[in-house]
Amino acid sequence: MDPFLAACRGLPHERTPVWFMRQAGRSLPEYRSIRGTGSILDAIADPGLAAEITLQPVRRYDTDAAILFSDIVVPVHAIGFGVDVVPGVGPVIERPFERTADLDRLRPLDPEADTPYVLETVRALASELTVPLIGFAGAPFTVASYLIEGGPSRTYARTKALMLGDPNLWFALLDRLVDLAVASLRSQVDAGAGALQLFDSWAGALAPPVYERYVLPASRSVFDRIADLGVPGIHFGVGTGEILHLMAAAGSDVLGVDWRVPLDEARRRIGPDTVLQGNLDPAVCLAPIEAVDTAVGDVLRRNGDHPGYVFNLGHGVLPETDPAVLEHVVDLVHAHRPGG
Ligand code: 1CP
């Protein structure tokens, strides 16, 4: 069986699988040379380009999975909410979500009509790749945070104010975002994606009782509504140490952890059978190579001989990372025998 898919199921496999969040389109010179200077949304809408950018890191690093070159704001952009992705900033919302009337700006996604380019990219990749393609969506909370804040935020103050101040509107918003994520994820699997990751990148900003009450039901609903697809689901967020047990209850097959919680500690918190993905600190890849070797060895040691494990960074590749270091990390992980 394919090592990545087997590891996601906790089944025995030949080599420890590894891929990197944000492996596409970050540190690779071959990315910069074909990407051009336009909006990333234009690059995503060009299936030939998006497929090539997805393939580049797989070729260069020999990763055990590809991640689709797209973005978590693509569905809301495609239904016309008014999103741009500004270089050096990230998603910026023309008119942020404020009131009940804004729900009307979040109509259902019809993937064939609204994001045909995504499906074309996935189909092309499915026939070309020899490793599984990971499709993805933003989790309802993280997407809501962009829509409400209007862009990247450090405090999520408006998001929390809306959540706590108008729970009915908050849950109505999350319902729409669940529908969008489910429609997008299902269409990616129909087109050939072999696994799915739900990015709740900023969920770690919430206290456990707040996450449990205001966010977990929506994320659980996403996983419930993709369970019949038969592909592994991965659930990831940053700074989630205090809510890991709650994120685990959303029903994914694999839980992504960042570098703040060692893998053995994560299994101590959630349960010994938990399938984990992670969690080398991306900043370690900028340190001298001896420090990289030590840190990779430590991550692998803390996983022990658990077959339910996918090596990754604790968050995305930093843009200044030397690709040669990531090549070296892949070699180290592949030289390590699962279960030994
Ligand atoms: O490997 C890959 O790079 C695959 C493609 C990919 C993915 C999986 C991109 C391309 N974006 C994403 C997901 C994404 N987008 C997440 C979840 C993962 C994570 O936590 O990093 C988030 C939070 C976003 C939102 C986003 N889009 C940001 C973050 C802003 C913030 O709040 O700090 C940014 C900078 C973008 C733009 C973007 N998306 C992708 C790229 C390569 C870029 C850079 C801009 C560009 O090239 O124009």
Side-chain angles (χ1 to χ4, degrees), residues 240-306:
T240 55
E242 298 304 320
I243 59 169
L244 266 190
H245 59 295
L246 298 170
M247 289 183 71
S252 64
D253 300 280
V254 182
L255 195 62
V257 272
D258 84 359
W259 62 92
R260 294 172 181 87
V261 184
L263 297 177
D264 48 347
E265 171 61 16
R267 286 208 178 91
R268 200 189 61 72
R269 290 185 191 184
I270 315 160
D273 297 331
T274 313
V275 179
L276 294 178
Q277 173 176 283
N279 68 346
L280 182 72
D281 185 341
V284 165
C285 297
L286 308 182
I289 206 72
E290 300 74 33
V292 175
D293 290 354
T294 305
V296 170
D298 186 61
V299 170
L300 292 168
R301 187 178 57 74
R302 287 178 187 276
N303 179 62
D305 58 5
H306 204 300

Side-chain angles (χ1 to χ4, degrees), residues 26 76 126 181 186-187 203 212 227 233 260 268 270 280 288:
R26 270 268 169 117
V76 278
R186 295 192 70 90
S187 72
E212 184 170 24
R260 294 172 181 87
R268 200 189 61 72
I270 315 160
L280 182 72

Side-chain angles (χ1 to χ4, degrees), residues 19-26 31 35-41 43-44 53-54 57 66-73 84-91 134-139 142-143 145-146 151-153 156 197-202 236-238 315-317:
W19 67 280
F20 302 114
M21 287 183 279
R22 309 297 299 272
Q23 66 187 14
R26 270 268 169 117
Y31 168 74
R35 162 76 170 79
T37 51
S39 165
I40 189 174
L41 294 171
I44 291 167
I53 294 172
T54 304
I67 178 133
L68 179 68
F69 183 74
S70 184
D71 195 82
I72 60 168
V73 296
D84 196 8
V85 178
V86 177
V89 178
I134 303 170
F136 69 90
T142 289
V143 176
S145 79
Y146 286 109
S153 169
Y156 306 95
Q197 178 153 324
L198 191 68
F199 281 99
D200 211 350
S201 300
W202 315 133
F236 169 77
V238 183
H315 195 193
V317 173

Side-chain angles (χ1 to χ4, degrees), residues 22-40 43 49 52-57 59-61 69 87-88 286 317-324 326:
R22 309 297 299 272
Q23 66 187 14
R26 270 268 169 117
S27 60
L28 288 177
E30 57 265 40
Y31 168 74
R32 285 191 215 106
S33 73
I34 64 163
R35 162 76 170 79
T37 51
S39 165
I40 189 174
L49 185 58
E52 172 59 21
I53 294 172
T54 304
L55 290 166
Q56 285 176 342
R59 277 192 214 113
R60 158 104 58 157
Y61 300 132
F69 183 74
L286 308 182
V317 173
L318 295 170
E320 56 272 53
T321 307
D322 177 352
L326 294 181

